[in-house]
Amino acid sequence: MKKILAILSIATLFATTTATQTGCIKNSTSNPIINIPDISNFTIQSVSSFVSGASSMVSVASSTLASGTYTIHFNLTGANNLMSQVATMVFSAGQGTFSTPTLPTAGNTNITITSISNSSGGTETFSMPVTKQFSDSTGLITCKINGVDYRATHANAMWLGAGSILSVHATLWEPLTTITVYWDGYNGTVGSRYYNENDLNSSSPTSTFNGSAAYSAPGLARLSANGNITVSTISTAKITGTFQFTCDGSDSIRVTNGAFSCKLN
């Protein structure tokens, strides 16, 4: 009888032990095991130029990090000194992007990514600094072309004085795309100018011509006198505002809206 009871006790103990191991797997310290991001291969590919008062876009790459949503922990030093910053990054197919906070000061800035956290709470810290330097640009234009957002960090404005043409021009290098907005007879005031419906394809604009806008994309260039430009602020060194225009009705690729913040040359 004692042998039977001993065998039953061992069987019961084995069943109890097995049952406790079928739930959440734990490590030797009795804490749940959490997967951590694999950052053994991780680089900053590029950081876009910025204009003071706007953010910059950081592009990263990794052959070891799994697709998913991550929290990036980083520091900014140099012209912009912002420590212990965080940003959300959606990572897919080896590529990801995230934005810095607003950068108030023009000049060389360094970004150093210190660690990455995943959605399950796992965090991995870089043993060697992952860092890159970037700087300010002459200006910034953001716009939408055919539903796609464009961000051009090589932008500037030209104006020769009261009654002359104000032009705001930006170049996005990859893919090569340009945006230019003209305000004819600009007098340096804050406000809006609405383009007339003059046909710019004619031999010359009519006397009612008061502005235009143009853009070019790979294999395509369009000119329009339908839309508006708004100047929000202007000084001897800087101009900001918004614009909106569409080209000919047959054009399937349209600039629908945009904003600019440029040095005024």
Side-chain angles (χ1 to χ4, degrees):
M1 176 63 72
K2 290 181 178 180
K3 289 183 178 179
I4 294 173
L5 290 174
I7 292 171
L8 290 174
S9 297
I10 292 172
T12 301
L13 177 62
F14 177 79
T16 303
T17 303
T18 302
T20 61
Q21 292 178 345
T22 58
C24 180
I25 299 175
K26 299 182 178 182
N27 61 19
S28 58
T29 61
S30 298
N31 294 319
I33 296 175
I34 298 175
N35 292 325
I36 60 175
D38 186 347
I39 56 174
S40 55
N41 179 284
F42 186 95
T43 59
I44 300 175
Q45 286 190 310
S46 65
V47 186
S48 67
S49 301
F50 68 95
V51 62
S52 56
S55 62
S56 186
M57 185 69 70
V58 184
S59 298
V60 303
S62 174
S63 61
T64 57
L65 189 65
S67 295
T69 301
Y70 295 89
T71 299
I72 307 296
H73 305 264
F74 60 97
N75 297 321
L76 296 170
T77 56
N80 294 279
N81 193 35
L82 302 168
M83 309 301 287
S84 302
Q85 299 297 305
V86 295
T88 299
M89 177 185 72
V90 177
F91 192 82
S92 178
Q95 306 285 328
T97 59
F98 65 92
S99 294
T100 69
T102 296
L103 304 171
T105 307
N108 290 335
T109 301
N110 302 290
I111 181 170
T112 300
I113 301 177
T114 57
S115 62
I116 297 179
S117 302
N118 58 25
S119 57
S120 62
T123 298
E124 185 70 316
T125 300
F126 289 96
S127 57
M128 296 292 291
V130 177
T131 185
K132 199 170 188 67
Q133 186 179 85
F134 60 105
S135 188
D136 59 304
S137 174
T138 55
L140 172 70
I141 276 186
T142 57
C143 62
K144 191 180 290 290
I145 301 176
N146 198 27
V148 177
D149 289 320
Y150 281 77
R151 177 188 174 96
T153 54
H154 291 77
N156 60 80
M158 294 288 295
W159 181 53
L160 298 180
S164 61
I165 294 176
L166 168 69
S167 66
V168 181
H169 177 79
T171 302
L172 174 69
W173 296 105
E174 190 64 38
L176 183 60
T177 304
T178 63
I179 297 289
T180 307
V181 181
Y182 304 95
W183 182 332
D184 187 56
Y186 180 64
N187 286 316
T189 58
V190 172
S192 296
R193 165 61 64 90
Y194 294 90
Y195 303 157
N196 60 39
E197 296 182 357
N198 181 60
D199 182 8
L200 293 180
N201 293 320
S202 63
S203 58
S204 62
T206 67
S207 59
T208 59
F209 175 75
N210 56 19
S212 65
Y215 73 93
S216 64
L220 183 66
R222 291 288 185 265
L223 189 62
S224 171
N226 303 297
N228 66 77
I229 178 174
T230 297
V231 174
S232 302
T233 65
I234 184 170
S235 66
T236 56
K238 186 176 180 180
I239 186 170
T240 68
T242 59
F243 61 88
Q244 182 174 11
F245 69 88
T246 60
C247 292
D248 184 86
S250 62
D251 182 11
S252 61
I253 301 179
R254 311 263 181 111
V255 174
T256 56
N257 56 68
F260 58 88
S261 179
C262 307
K263 290 182 179 179
L264 183 61
N265 296 328

